[in-house]
Structures are given as structure tokens and as C-alpha cells.
């Protein structure tokens, strides 16, 4: 299982839970697993072109995710963050 940290702005989709376990061999697989359990969650992170939304950041084992096909292994960690913006 993959450990996933959910940002506070998305916890309304996860019933207030900040850390979840998910199955998947890739970052996208993990997001798909989470979306099956928490409908709408993936759409808040990934856009219609299957890219991480501009205002979101995803990290796998501390490295920024630029490709949703990034492979994951049992025990890995995925962090989802809301990016800060403004000026």
C-alpha cells in the first residue's frame, strides 16, 4: 500500500482524513484508487488533459511528479499539496 497525504482543502472529499492508504503501481493508479473510494478527489488534483492542476503539487517520495505514470512500490509515499499563489 501507498501512504497518501491529503491537503486540508481536499479533506472534505476524504471525510476529514488527512492520511490514507491506497493501492496502485503508479501515481495515477493511486489517484484512481482514491477516486473510487472518494469520488471527485482525482478531478480536484488532475485536469481534463491528465495533468496535475496548476494550483496543485504532487510529490512521490519527496520528488515532484511531472508524469502520472511515475512508478510506486509498496511503502512509498505520495504527498498532495495546494500550491500557494498571489502577489
Amino acid at each position: 500500500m501507498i501512504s497518501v497525504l491529503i491537503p486540508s482543502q481536499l479533506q472534505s472529499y476524504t471525510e476529514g482524513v488527512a492520511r490514507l492508504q491506497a493501492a496502485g503501481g503508479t501515481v495515477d493508479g493511486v489517484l484512481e484508487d482514491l477516486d473510487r473510494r472518494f469520488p471527485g478527489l482525482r478531478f480536484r488534483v488532475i485536469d481534463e488533459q491528465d495533468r496535475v492542476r496548476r494550483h496543485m503539487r504532487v510529490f512521490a517520495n519527496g520528488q515532484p511528479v511531472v508524469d502520472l505514470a511515475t512508478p510506486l512500490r509498496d511503502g512509498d509515499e505520495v504527498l498532495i499539496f495546494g500550491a500557494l499563489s498571489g502577489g
Side-chain angles (χ1 to χ4, degrees), residues 1-36:
M1 295 299 280
I2 309 300
S3 177
V4 184
L5 181 68
I6 304 295
S8 59
Q9 70 260 43
L10 296 180
Q11 290 175 17
S12 62
Y13 291 91
T14 62
E15 301 164 359
V17 178
R19 187 171 292 274
L20 298 164
Q21 296 293 312
T26 64
V27 171
D28 196 40
V30 165
L31 291 172
E32 290 285 347
D33 181 49
L34 290 175
D35 198 63
R36 277 189 288 280

Side-chain angles (χ1 to χ4, degrees), residues 7-71:
S8 59
Q9 70 260 43
L10 296 180
Q11 290 175 17
S12 62
Y13 291 91
T14 62
E15 301 164 359
V17 178
R19 187 171 292 274
L20 298 164
Q21 296 293 312
T26 64
V27 171
D28 196 40
V30 165
L31 291 172
E32 290 285 347
D33 181 49
L34 290 175
D35 198 63
R36 277 189 288 280
R37 295 167 28 211
F38 306 102
L41 180 63
R42 184 181 186 279
F43 182 73
R44 299 294 179 238
V45 179
I46 305 301
D47 68 15
E48 295 84 354
Q49 287 78 39
D50 284 331
R51 294 185 301 230
V52 176
R53 291 188 179 277
R54 283 184 19 183
H55 63 281
M56 301 301 293
R57 298 293 179 266
V58 179
F59 295 84
N61 299 314
Q63 298 299 313
V65 170
V66 293
D67 183 356
L68 295 179
T70 299

